[in-house]
Amino acid sequence: MRFYIIFTFLFIVGFGVFVYSIDPQAYAFNLGSYSFNLPIAVWLMGVLGMFAFFSWVFLFKHNLSHKIRLYHEKRDFDKLLKQILSQDTQKTFLKTKFKSDLAKNLSQILARYDLKADLNTPNSGCEKVDNLFKHYHNIENNTLEPKDHDKHSLAYEHAYFSKRLKAFIHNDLKNAFEVLTNAQIPLELRRYAFIEIAQKGSKKEVLKALNAMQDNLDKECVKSFLKAFFEKSLNTDTLKISELCKRVGYDKNDYLKLAQKAQKFLVPDQWFQFFEILSQEDDKAQKAFLFVLLELEMNDLAKEHLAVLSFEEYMLLNAYMDLKQEHKKAYKLEAFL
């Protein structure tokens, strides 16, 4: 546009000089009481100037309209890109107005699809998209830097949210506590954080995590806590442990496995007392307590205990006691459990 204006100006001046050199005569133009007497070259330059002026006006309007159209196209593109990224990362998007009917229609079409990232594709050339894919690649390859954890917001149900959060938990137990106390995070991931703390945390950290999550634990959480309880000699009341086991639905086999594992960590008196209390609080722990009694060769007490329990339910253990008494042979207790 600038070069066009300069060229037009020079052309008109040059044309005027050329005409004046050929015919320097003047021409008078009367307008009412006014009379304009100018060289013919000037009159011609005026006509060309008017033509050039209106040409500039039309060109300026065209360029302005073109820039406005490009501006709206870019805005529509940015809105569509935001919608695509939101449908991927948030599984939803905020509806917005489009200038172009085509962009509006495309937005409505995209809204009917469940968009997922395909990492086995080349770069798109769009920085926002490629940066998001790089983030996904880092999550997938477990190379995500801690500082990049919150770089992109992902919905809780997003496939990469749980992977990223687990990596975040692995980096530092402080992160695990942050997850543990955030009620908005899915319970499954909070339980995962609890298990991580139970496995890697200090005594104080494990007990702190238990206090924060005791009403939301599942069986796997309790198993991890009990493993920590024995291995780290946690100071926890047996009645509280019994309550945890009952709350998550410990069955006979769970208690039995617990008794077998506890044997490695507790001295006989502690082992006996621990499972005596569990059996008093929950009938499902009776088999585990009988196992403890028989392993400690407290046969008379085991027999007394069996006498008050259902014969049909503990038929195999009654048979074990009878065989042991009659034949005085060493039978494998595990075969009768």
Side-chain angles (χ1 to χ4, degrees):
M1 186 71 175
R2 182 179 60 183
F3 295 109
Y4 175 75
I5 293 174
I6 294 171
F7 169 78
T8 304
F9 175 77
L10 293 176
F11 176 81
I12 292 172
V13 171
F15 179 79
V17 171
F18 174 73
V19 171
Y20 186 78
S21 66
I22 296 174
D23 187 2
Q25 293 183 15
Y27 175 78
F29 178 75
N30 298 316
L31 184 64
S33 59
Y34 296 97
S35 179
F36 300 94
N37 190 17
L38 298 171
I40 295 174
V42 174
W43 289 113
L44 291 174
M45 288 173 63
V47 172
L48 289 175
M50 290 296 294
F51 174 79
F53 173 75
F54 284 109
S55 296
W56 293 337
V57 170
F58 293 137
L59 283 173
F60 177 77
K61 182 182 178 182
H62 173 75
N63 287 338
L64 183 61
S65 300
H66 180 66
K67 288 182 178 180
I68 292 173
R69 181 172 58 82
L70 290 178
Y71 170 76
H72 286 302
E73 284 180 358
K74 186 179 184 307
R75 286 203 65 187
D76 284 349
F77 175 81
D78 290 339
K79 289 175 182 178
L80 283 171
L81 178 60
K82 185 177 180 181
Q83 176 180 333
I84 291 169
L85 294 176
S86 294
Q87 282 186 235
D88 175 23
T89 59
Q90 302 300 317
K91 302 305 176 186
T92 185
F93 69 97
L94 294 175
K95 291 185 178 180
T96 185
K97 293 182 178 179
F98 292 91
K99 191 69 176 177
S100 164
D101 289 337
L102 288 175
K104 179 181 177 182
N105 188 239
L106 180 56
S107 172
Q108 293 170 338
I109 293 170
L110 288 171
R112 303 198 68 182
Y113 285 86
D114 180 17
L115 302 182
K116 296 180 181 178
D118 182 1
L119 300 187
N120 299 315
T121 51
N123 286 350
S124 66
C126 178
E127 185 178 0
K128 289 183 178 180
V129 172
D130 293 337
N131 283 340
L132 179 61
F133 271 58
K134 183 180 178 181
H135 189 71
Y136 289 160
H137 272 294
N138 289 336
I139 295 172
E140 191 71 35
N141 299 327
N142 199 26
T143 56
L144 187 67
E145 295 290 334
K147 61 182 176 64
D148 293 332
H149 173 76
D150 293 325
K151 196 170 184 179
H152 297 276
S153 176
L154 300 179
Y156 292 144
E157 62 270 23
H158 196 283
Y160 284 111
F161 178 81
S162 60
K163 290 182 180 180
R164 186 177 70 176
L165 192 67
K166 287 177 181 179
F168 179 67
I169 292 169
H170 283 303
N171 287 332
D172 194 332
L173 284 184
K174 290 181 181 178
N175 300 337
F177 275 105
E178 185 179 327
V179 172
L180 199 70
T181 54
N182 188 344
Q184 294 182 340
I185 292 177
L187 187 56
E188 177 187 354
L189 292 171
R190 293 170 62 202
R191 285 169 174 169
Y192 179 86
F194 176 85
I195 292 173
E196 281 292 304
I197 295 171
Q199 292 174 347
K200 301 175 183 178
S202 63
K203 293 181 181 181
K204 184 178 179 180
E205 288 171 330
V206 175
L207 293 176
K208 182 181 177 181
L210 178 65
N211 289 332
M213 278 286 289
Q214 59 184 344
D215 294 329
N216 295 301
L217 300 178
D218 62 2
K219 192 177 287 187
E220 290 304 314
C221 290
V222 172
K223 286 180 179 179
S224 295
F225 170 75
L226 289 173
K227 188 173 184 291
F229 171 78
F230 293 123
E231 292 179 351
K232 300 174 183 181
S233 302
L234 299 181
N235 185 20
T236 306
D237 184 65
T238 308
L239 290 175
K240 186 172 185 177
I241 291 176
S242 175
E243 184 63 31
L244 288 174
C245 292
K246 287 191 291 183
R247 190 176 295 165
V248 299
Y250 255 46
D251 58 25
K252 294 178 182 179
N253 291 329
D254 293 322
Y255 280 115
L256 181 59
K257 289 176 182 177
L258 180 62
Q260 292 168 334
K261 291 177 181 178
Q263 187 176 10
K264 302 174 184 178
F265 299 98
L266 302 178
V267 296
D269 285 346
Q270 292 175 325
W271 195 32
F272 170 81
Q273 292 171 5
F274 185 79
F275 281 92
E276 182 182 31
I277 294 173
L278 291 184
S279 66
Q280 290 170 352
E281 295 297 319
D282 189 355
D283 286 340
K284 293 177 182 177
Q286 296 293 347
K287 182 186 283 190
F289 183 48
L290 286 168
F291 169 77
V292 172
L293 293 176
L294 293 170
E295 280 291 301
L296 295 175
E297 296 187 355
M298 302 173 72
N299 297 329
D300 292 339
L301 189 56
K303 191 172 182 180
E304 291 176 12
H305 204 68
L306 272 171
V308 298
L309 298 174
S310 169
F311 179 83
E312 290 78 10
E313 193 172 353
Y314 294 93
M315 186 180 299
L316 290 176
L317 283 174
N318 277 293
Y320 172 80
M321 293 296 295
D322 292 340
L323 288 171
K324 191 172 183 180
Q325 185 175 0
E326 290 179 12
H327 300 284
K328 307 295 182 182
K329 291 181 180 180
Y331 293 94
K332 287 186 177 181
L333 175 59
E334 287 77 8
F336 295 85
L337 293 172

